Amino acid sequence: MTPDVRPLVAGNWKMNGTRDALSQIKAIAEGVSGPLSQKVEALICPPATLLYVSTALATDSPLSIGAQDCHQAVSGAHTGDISADMIADCFGTYVIVGHSERRTDHGETDALVRAKAEAAFAADLTAIICIGETAEERQAEQTLQVLKRQLLESVPDAASAENTVIAYEPVWAIGTGLTPTAEDIKIAHQYMRDDLVARFGGEGKKIRILYGGSVKPSNAAELMAIDNVDGALVGGASLKSADFLAIYSAYETLLA
Ligand code: 13P
């Protein structure tokens, strides 16, 4: 945790969820409607096909809804893509950019991720910019250099605590059940914090830095308690409302 920073527990549904899954959005919206919502924000990023109906379901709850990617352009001939404006038009308030699966599956570069984050800012969305090292980079002890490069090249100069969230997701920890040790996460998050403060000053102190990669109800409390871990970006365990709510509820004890 970081002093005076409101944690964010975010779910990335990836390419999962048809209309049947809307019952999970409804249950999550209800489940996060208690007093903890004053202190901890909750977000679900369903697939784009469910975005509009999800925001409608979450209207009267503190649950935020976001998208998983946007194109860098405002509009145009880009078959299959969606723009940040389209997300805002569906009442989405966040967009994930630069997830490692997009970097791998679609060859997205740091420069492209930065352009996407800038498009998100222009549409008044908050960009969740994902960074993280691969297994090979970790073995070569390059984790901190990779994070430094990705922060420098993927995060726009206009980043602020309002429009930007960083998600540290070690690629090798995604969907594997593996996580770094608490000490490794602490070192990585402190490093990112120092880097953000050096570049953005006071704003850098408040930009939320999430941890992602195999976050589950059983490890959430330990992970969320680490210095400079300001929440989680949850994949698989966000698909079931009970698991997502259990992760969110880890803050009941942490903030008690
Ligand atoms: P898992 O929680 O399934 O490991 O996925 C993490 C992730 O990639 C979230 O963006």
Side-chain angles (χ1 to χ4, degrees):
M1 291 186 279
T2 305
D4 302 324
V5 168
R6 184 173 180 229
L8 170 66
V9 178
N12 172 12
W13 279 14
K14 310 189 179 184
M15 199 170 71
N16 297 293
T18 52
R19 286 175 296 145
D20 289 355
L22 293 170
S23 58
Q24 302 300 313
I25 299 272
K26 216 161 165 256
I28 291 170
E30 282 163 15
V32 300
S33 291
L36 189 61
S37 66
Q38 305 288 326
K39 298 183 190 161
V40 184
E41 190 176 359
L43 164 71
I44 293 289
C45 298
T49 46
L50 298 182
L51 188 59
Y52 183 59
V53 65
S54 297
T55 59
L57 282 174
T59 307
D60 294 323
S61 90
L63 177 66
S64 300
I65 300 290
Q68 299 173 13
D69 178 49
C70 66
H71 195 276
Q72 66 276 21
V74 174
S75 63
H78 304 289
T79 302
D81 280 308
I82 63 170
S83 72
D85 272 350
M86 290 169 179
I87 296 163
D89 183 54
C90 291
F91 307 108
T93 50
Y94 283 83
V95 60
I96 299 169
V97 293
H99 191 282
S100 69
E101 287 149 16
R102 301 238 19 125
R103 291 178 187 259
T104 305
D105 294 357
H106 299 272
E108 293 193 2
T109 61
D110 286 323
L112 179 63
V113 173
R114 184 187 188 116
K116 289 182 174 206
E118 283 166 347
F121 298 172
D124 284 332
L125 301 178
T126 299
I128 301 181
I129 303 173
C130 300
I131 61 175
E133 82 285 358
T134 62
E136 292 73 31
E137 288 163 340
R138 187 171 194 86
Q139 271 147 25
E141 295 181 4
Q142 288 169 352
T143 298
L144 299 182
Q145 287 106 296
V146 169
L147 297 182
K148 188 178 184 63
R149 189 199 72 230
Q150 291 183 326
L151 281 177
L152 182 68
E153 295 179 9
S154 303
V155 179
D157 291 335
S160 69
E162 189 70 35
N163 64 22
T164 299
V165 173
I166 305 297
Y168 170 49
E169 300 204 303
V171 179
W172 54 274
I174 295 175
T176 58
L178 303 171
T179 59
T181 63
E183 186 59 21
D184 283 346
I185 294 175
K186 187 176 168 187
I187 291 168
H189 279 243
Q190 183 67 58
Y191 185 83
M192 292 183 280
R193 175 69 65 209
D194 291 346
D195 190 274
L196 291 171
V197 172
R199 183 165 166 205
F200 299 106
E203 284 298 305
K205 285 187 189 158
K206 295 183 290 175
I207 291 177
R208 290 176 289 187
I209 310 175
L210 312 183
Y211 168 77
S214 300
V215 178
K216 310 175 274 227
S218 58
N219 61 17
E222 189 200 358
L223 295 170
M224 298 307 103
I226 299 169
D227 289 352
N228 291 298
V229 172
D230 307 312
L233 184 55
V234 186
S238 71
L239 295 168
K240 289 204 186 107
S241 58
D243 286 348
F244 181 82
L245 291 169
I247 293 168
Y248 179 79
S249 302
Y251 278 103
E252 296 275 12
T253 346
L254 290 171
L255 296 174

